[in-house]
Structures are given as C-alpha cells and as structure tokens.
Amino acid sequence: MKGRPREFDREEALEQAMDLFWSQGYEATGVADLCDRMGLGRQSLYNTYGDKESLFAEALEHYERVQLQPLVDVLEGPGSGVENVRRVLDMWERRGSEHGAQGCMMANSIAEFGMRAPRFSKQLTRMLGRIEKAFQTALERAAADGELPEGRDPHALARLFTTIGQGLSTVGKLDASGVMARDSTALARALLA
C-alpha cells in the first residue's frame, strides 16, 4: 500500500525551519513554532524530518548549501586568490548592514552550543573547517602567484579571516551602522596588500 503523497515542498519547508532556527536559535524554537512556520502538522513534521534535533541538523545542512557554499565557491573559484578573498570580505561588509540583527546561523549556533552538544558541535566544526580550508586554498594560490606579501602565512591568514567572519556575524548583531564590519574588513584587506 502506498503512503499518501506529501502535499508540501520539502525544501521550502526546510528553508522556513532554517529561517526560524536562524532568528530564534535552537532552544527558543518550539515544535509548535516550527509546525506553524513550516505549514505542517506535528505528525507530518516528525514523519518527514524526525525529531527537532534531526530537523535542526538538516536545517544546518541546508544553511551550508545555500549560505556557506557560495562563499566557498568564491574562494575556490578561478582567478586571483587575493581578489577572491577580497570579494568575500566585500560580501561580509555588505552583510553587516543587511543581516546585522540576525547574524549568521552558524555563528549563532556555535555561541548557543559551544561543545555541549556533540552532534551539533561536530557538524559546526566541520562547517567552520570548510571556510578555513577555502580561505587557505585561495591564499596558497595567491602566495604561489606572488600576490601575497612576503612572509604572510596562508594558513594563519585563513584562520584569522575565518575568525573575523564569525566575529563579525556575532558583534554585527549589535552594530546596525555596520561600522565594525567596515573597519574590520578594511584591516583584513590591508593584510593582503
């Protein structure tokens, strides 16, 4: 016997869950809130995504696909490694004013969980590592092409830029003017010159 076909767009519902977790955090988001935002009954939510923890893990994966992957694509894309890093810094500066109050779902989740939720901590650590690796790829290419100033360590810079990005996502929530993002990205750009 065939089950009843789903009457909703699974990816759109996941996008709604991601947005809710992103704005409220995991702990503050109840199953009733998720059902309401996603347009699903409780049983449909459980049948489709599992429990709240599984849904959150899937929402993080969705965030990785729609928010993190474009950043990785820029850094690992063709052309100048330094220019690719500058493009990401420009993106972060723009996002400082666009998403300021919301921050970054990944940074928000790192702040919420730290190391106390091993499943999420492992997933978030992997995501953070993807950003660092993408920066390192761009910066190593820049060093090989003679674009990076002498004595600059691509690995150390990759860690610094990853930390700046996460920091801006957090402090930017209190900086509606975007001045912190502008100042921080300007200093980061100076490290590339």
Side-chain angles (χ1 to χ4, degrees), residues 15 38 45 51 56 82 89 92 126:
E15 178 84 13
M38 297 168 75
L45 185 142
D51 59 9
F56 183 76
V82 165
L89 294 172
W92 285 347
R126 182 188 53 75

Side-chain angles (χ1 to χ4, degrees), residues 25-40:
Y26 178 81
E27 295 294 340
T29 301
V31 173
D33 299 325
L34 288 162
C35 289
D36 186 50
R37 175 68 74 89
M38 297 168 75
L40 297 176

